[in-house]
Amino acid sequence: ISVPDSERFGIHVARTRLETLEDLDETHALARARGLDMLIVRVATRQRAVAAALRRVAGEPLDEILYFEGAIPAEPVSPAARRVRSRCATASDAGDMAAIARHAFAGYCGHYHADPRLPRHCCDEVYATWAARCCSERGVADSVQLLTDETDDLLGFCALKLLDAATCEFGLNAIAPEHQHRGLYRQLLGMCFEWARQQGASRWASSTQLANTRVVGAWRRRGWRESSRDWTYHWWLT
């Protein structure tokens, strides 16, 4: 069960991943038994037969996720960004992080906003709630790196999680819209790479939607390697 999604949308929501055709029937039976209203389902794009079967019951995918990975580089801080400061988030930063996420992800290109059955204002809150949970709820992230100005006003953030001893995942991240195009994203990445190295990680991983063309283009220009793709479906059961 996805508690945040269920509370936000006022319905019973769960998340799952399908690997085989047999998973489809088992998942459907289990969801019915638990009284779920909707399943958020991920399927690897290479699993064509599974995806085709799911389309027949759930409709077309609502987004396509691209996964990238690579070795952690030495990432210098750009001279234009030296006026900003960096620090790790604490629970007291949850409200400011939520405000940036609410603004940055309004009308975003992900699967929530692509589903006409979900209220728009609730979809915008997905990312605000997620941002707040990253620094206030144990287990959501291992660290959140913040960029601030000289007065400690928040400019951007990135949530980090160690997937294993060698790999650090760069999760939810955003630069406040009014501070974009100033080289701050590069500075934020540099902070994240530095934190990951300090934890002993040698590799990083991250993901974004195919429709998020600006970020996908920036990552590819840096030579970052795409490792896999998923489709996301909303399987409504009611």
Side-chain angles (χ1 to χ4, degrees):
I1 301 295
S2 175
V3 174
D5 286 323
S6 298
E7 292 179 347
R8 183 182 305 110
F9 296 113
I11 56 178
H12 297 297
V13 182
R15 292 171 170 268
T16 191
R17 184 176 186 85
L18 298 183
E19 303 285 352
T20 68
L21 289 172
E22 290 73 19
D23 292 341
L24 189 67
D25 291 336
E26 293 176 7
T27 298
H28 182 255
L30 185 59
R32 287 291 191 187
R34 293 186 175 179
L36 296 179
D37 297 297
M38 189 257 279
L39 283 168
I40 298 173
V41 186
R42 289 266 167 83
V43 177
T45 59
R46 66 179 182 276
Q47 299 285 354
R48 297 287 178 174
V50 178
L54 185 56
R55 278 186 176 92
R56 288 193 286 271
V57 295
E60 293 298 313
L62 298 180
D63 71 10
E64 186 169 340
I65 307 293
L66 277 58
Y67 297 90
F68 288 79
E69 62 180 30
I72 292 175
E75 187 73 17
V77 174
S78 60
R82 285 178 179 164
R83 293 188 304 276
V84 303
R85 300 175 180 178
S86 62
R87 63 177 175 85
C88 293
T90 67
S92 64
D93 295 303
D96 289 338
M97 285 177 53
I100 283 184
R102 186 177 294 110
H103 191 186
F105 291 98
Y108 187 58
C109 57
H111 59 94
Y112 292 105
H113 288 91
D115 189 336
R117 294 184 64 171
L118 297 177
R120 301 299 88 193
H121 68 283
C122 293
C123 295
D124 288 342
E125 285 302 305
V126 166
Y127 300 94
T129 303
W130 184 2
R133 291 176 62 232
C134 284
C135 66
S136 63
E137 186 175 322
R138 184 182 298 274
V140 178
D142 293 322
S143 177
V144 179
Q145 297 296 301
L146 303 182
L147 280 179
T148 70
D149 65 13
E150 296 89 340
T151 63
D152 205 39
D153 287 339
L154 186 58
L155 307 176
F157 68 87
C158 182
L160 302 171
K161 191 172 183 65
L162 294 171
L163 301 181
D164 53 45
T167 309
C168 180
E169 179 183 49
F170 293 11
L172 184 68
N173 61 87
I175 299 294
E178 64 272 23
H179 295 292
Q180 292 177 6
H181 312 296
R182 292 173 46 193
L184 296 180
Y185 186 64
R186 176 182 173 86
Q187 175 116 352
L188 183 61
L189 286 177
M191 292 167 48
C192 294
F193 286 133
E194 181 178 356
W195 184 88
R197 285 192 299 268
Q198 290 173 352
Q199 313 313 307
S202 59
R203 298 192 63 78
W204 63 270
S206 195
S207 62
T208 192
Q209 280 77 10
L210 175 63
N212 192 6
T213 54
R214 188 173 69 178
V215 171
V216 171
W219 290 1
R220 285 176 171 163
R221 285 192 296 273
R222 295 174 72 92
W224 292 2
R225 185 176 69 86
E226 180 186 327
S227 58
S228 60
R229 297 188 182 199
D230 281 346
W231 283 311
T232 309
Y233 299 81
H234 288 185
W235 189 358
W236 286 91
L237 305 165
T238 57

